[in-house]
Amino acid sequence: MDTRRRWLPSALAGAGLVAALALGGCSTEAPDQAGQAAGGERTAQQANAQAVRVTVTPAVGTVGVSPGEAATVSVEHGRLESVTLTNPDGKQVRGALAADGRSWGTAEHLGYGKTYTWSGSAVGDDGRAAPLAGAFTTAKPKRQVGASLNTGDGQTYGVAIPVAVTFDRAVTDKAAAERALSVETSVPTEGAWAWLDDRRVHWRPKEYWKPGTEVKVSVDIYGRDLGGGSFGEDDLTSEFTIGRAQVVKGDTQSHRMVVVRDGVRTADFPASYGLESDPGRVTKSGTHVVMSKHATYGMTNPKYDYENVVVPWAVRVSNNGELIHGYAPSIPDQGKRNVSHGCINLAPANAKVYFDSVLVGDPVEITGSTEQLSAADGDYYDWTLTWDQWRGMSALAS
């Protein structure tokens, strides 16, 4: 199954080189003269215990560390007494010590282009002490890359909504960026990321979402090296819900628009689609996705000599100018002939009924026309691709 779930990694995972007293080695161990028992003699338990071993990540002296990665300390054969990680301004980085005292990890992101200094100490099972010291420096990016999401917290979307991440600059290392993205779902959902171009990457399920699915999207790009000297600017998250399953089935040859909700036909409207004799006016066949809706909308098309023709109850289903809307002048043609400039014309009263029922993300399946929806028609052409084609557009596809 290709479901992308995001599990919080252990804050202390990963190997590192060690710091204090042995900067060129793998660990810090307590000096022989430390930790003797009272009276200058070591107990038998202490004599048989191994020396404390302290490991820090990133290794002391490392330059170009990703500030999005956790800085950690771990201990073998002992426990940490104190750990402090300080930035150049003397401010301590928030961190958490494990209950057993054997590990510590940062609880906040580090900054770009800063040197951080360790201090503190550990004590071994043999009673010997080992200080913690040393420093590392985070990466200083040539530029930072921001991102935005098409979904908002607490919103409800239709069963065809893709998760769209848009970067404000071209991404050179798409694989690194994709590894920073995740989708969690409340029910098992097979899905995949696909790059539409150098700035846009979408996640869509193999099939329409199951109604009621709760979704959390994480864009964990802060501190991530995205290639070419670019690093991620800020992390993003979005939590939303998938609503009821409503699908529009529009047939340009029958001149009808049928609405099906949760498997039940709720409406069957006469409609007029794009004029078939002009390829520039044909309503495209394929699965469209509702992108927005507007109580009134001004329609403009210089090619066909009209400007700001205001229509009621408009639902946008692609970025190529296709909308479902009310249009009283074409009522005599609705259910009989296709006369529009690519939109789906309904009687205003019928358009209002549909408008009130619609969610962003609802699928609109059009059949019967001579032209097919494609990448040239805007952002949400995701469902025009087969599942194999979609998966092949992942930067991590093998």
Side-chain angles (χ1 to χ4, degrees):
M1 184 168 289
D2 199 22
T3 301
R4 294 289 304 276
R5 286 183 177 267
R6 179 175 181 264
W7 302 100
L8 291 177
S10 166
L12 305 176
L17 296 181
V18 178
L21 305 183
L23 300 185
C26 293
S27 65
T28 297
E29 297 185 358
D32 291 339
Q33 68 272 20
Q36 291 183 342
E41 296 181 0
R42 301 174 65 207
T43 66
Q45 182 179 3
Q46 289 174 324
N48 293 328
Q50 293 182 327
V52 63
R53 184 181 181 89
V54 182
T55 304
V56 296
T57 304
V60 169
T62 303
V63 176
V65 171
S66 168
E69 299 297 327
T72 65
V73 185
S74 61
V75 174
E76 295 180 71
H77 316 303
R79 59 183 175 78
L80 291 164
E81 290 190 311
S82 65
V83 177
T84 301
L85 183 63
T86 307
N87 72 12
D89 299 323
K91 181 181 178 181
Q92 294 182 13
V93 178
R94 286 189 294 112
L97 181 66
D100 62 5
R102 294 184 180 272
S103 58
W104 182 95
T106 50
E108 63 179 323
H109 285 323
L110 305 179
Y112 280 115
K114 296 179 181 292
T115 297
Y116 290 86
T117 303
W118 293 106
S119 62
S121 64
V123 62
D125 295 336
D126 62 357
R128 298 176 179 178
L132 178 66
F136 62 88
T137 302
T138 56
K140 186 175 182 179
K142 292 181 179 178
R143 64 194 69 84
Q144 295 185 40
V145 178
S148 60
L149 278 164
N150 66 322
T151 54
D153 285 339
Q155 300 299 306
T156 300
Y157 296 99
V159 295
I161 190 73
V163 174
V165 179
T166 302
F167 294 94
D168 60 13
R169 295 176 181 269
V171 174
T172 301
D173 191 343
K174 295 182 178 62
E178 192 171 326
R179 291 189 188 99
L181 312 176
S182 62
V183 175
E184 294 178 79
T185 59
S186 61
V187 297
T189 305
E190 183 177 3
W193 293 99
W195 288 85
L196 279 58
D197 54 38
D198 288 343
R199 292 178 52 194
R200 296 182 298 155
V201 58
H202 287 193
W203 191 97
R204 55 152 269 215
K206 182 178 180 180
E207 300 173 343
Y208 290 156
W209 296 93
K210 293 179 181 178
T213 301
E214 296 178 355
V215 185
K216 179 180 179 180
V217 182
S218 298
V219 181
D220 294 332
I221 60 170
Y222 176 79
R224 180 85 56 159
D225 185 347
L226 302 179
S230 296
F231 282 72
E233 186 172 48
D234 290 304
D235 292 341
L236 298 172
T237 61
S238 174
E239 297 185 43
F240 60 91
T241 302
I242 302 300
R244 79 290 176 271
Q246 177 166 295
V247 182
V248 164
K249 296 182 180 293
D251 185 346
T252 66
Q253 298 308 302
S254 69
H255 315 294
R256 310 294 297 187
M257 192 188 96
V258 175
V259 181
V260 178
R261 177 180 287 201
D262 296 324
V264 177
R265 180 179 294 193
T266 59
D268 184 350
F269 300 126
S272 182
Y273 295 85
L275 181 67
E276 294 161 314
S277 61
D278 184 345
R281 292 173 61 174
V282 171
T283 303
K284 305 291 181 68
S285 285
T287 299
H288 303 62
V289 179
V290 171
M291 305 178 72
S292 62
K293 64 181 198 175
H294 313 268
T296 59
Y297 195 85
M299 310 285 290
T300 298
N301 191 330
K303 179 180 178 180
Y304 292 101
D305 299 319
Y306 63 87
E307 181 178 356
N308 199 32
V309 176
V310 179
V311 297
W313 316 121
V315 176
R316 176 175 287 281
V317 297
S318 82
N319 273 342
N320 67 0
E322 292 176 331
L323 297 93
I324 302 170
H325 63 80
Y327 194 58
S330 71
I331 288 177
D333 300 298
Q334 292 168 19
K336 300 174 183 177
R337 290 172 294 276
N338 295 328
V339 299
S340 84
H341 290 78
C343 292
I344 303 173
N345 289 177
L346 304 176
N350 292 338
K352 177 64 162 60
V353 171
Y354 172 63
F355 180 92
D356 288 344
S357 75
V358 79
L359 290 174
V360 170
D362 283 345
V364 176
E365 301 172 353
I366 305 299
T367 58
S369 74
T370 57
E371 301 290 328
Q372 296 294 313
L373 188 71
S374 70
D377 294 306
D379 290 340
Y380 290 2
Y381 64 93
D382 305 36
W383 295 98
T384 67
L385 301 172
T386 69
W387 183 237
D388 286 342
Q389 288 174 324
W390 185 260
R391 289 194 304 171
M393 293 164 63
S394 165
L396 304 177
S398 55

